Amino acid sequence: MIRKGMKLYSILFGACPKCHQESMYVEKNPYKLTDVIKIHDHCSHCNTRYRMEPSFFYGSMYVSYGVGIAFAVVAFIVSFVILESSLMAAFVAIIVTLIAFMPIIMRLSRNIWINLFMSYDKELASKIKKKEND
Ligand SMILES: [Zn+2]
């Protein structure tokens, strides 16, 4: 359903936004907290520089606000509406969810942010594939 070539692929898996051939992140596991936002300088397949300008990813903080709200809404619906908890318990559930998913929220925001500026390049990707098959 979600495959290479779709923007969602790069957003969900943190793949290079241009060629979708590799992960932007040095560390695969987002819960290795020391490396959660450590990113390669450029893509080893298509040479795209991820940090287009200094402190490019600061902008992803705006996105992370929205992503955080989305997670909070889900936590609220699950606890208050589905599990019929008290308001106070729902509030605690939101806080716990936001803390527990922080690394994922940070990465998702960065993936969305970079995908606002770069798109999958079909020609580039097929050129790389050709080169690798030669
Ligand atoms: Zn690439």
Side-chain angles (χ1 to χ4, degrees):
M1 224 165 66
I2 297 166
R3 55 196 147 67
K4 284 182 187 173
M6 298 167 77
K7 234 181 209 333
L8 205 55
Y9 180 88
S10 171
I11 290 173
L12 288 181
F13 300 108
C16 167
K18 279 252 158 111
C19 72
H20 292 187
Q21 295 296 316
E22 67 169 35
S23 172
M24 296 187 288
Y25 296 97
V26 176
E27 174 59 51
K28 251 194 149 128
N29 179 1
Y31 283 92
K32 273 211 175 137
L33 294 180
T34 48
D35 295 336
V36 64
I37 53 174
K38 216 174 260 172
I39 222 163
H40 290 290
D41 184 56
H42 60 270
C43 174
S44 69
H45 288 85
C46 68
N47 234 0
T48 296
R49 281 193 60 206
Y50 297 136
R51 230 175 282 271
M52 289 188 286
E53 51 193 35
S55 57
F56 167 68
F57 282 105
Y58 274 101
S60 70
M61 283 192 294
Y62 302 111
V63 181
S64 86
Y65 183 70
V67 175
I69 300 239
F71 273 78
V73 167
V74 171
F76 178 77
I77 290 173
V78 168
S79 61
F80 191 71
V81 179
I82 297 176
L83 300 175
E84 296 178 344
S85 69
S86 67
L87 255 188
M88 191 61 203
F91 180 71
V92 172
I94 288 172
I95 303 291
V96 170
T97 301
L98 286 181
I99 292 170
F101 286 95
M102 202 61 211
I104 290 176
I105 292 170
M106 284 167 83
R107 282 199 175 182
L108 269 181
S109 317
R110 290 179 159 235
N111 300 346
I112 292 170
W113 182 248
I114 197 167
N115 269 285
L116 290 177
F117 298 93
M118 297 181 193
S119 286
Y120 183 67
D121 189 332
K122 212 172 174 185
E123 258 165 53
L124 186 71
S126 63
K127 224 190 275 170
I128 293 162
K129 263 188 210 146
K130 233 188 233 163
K131 225 197 292 172
E132 279 167 358
N133 289 334
D134 283 346

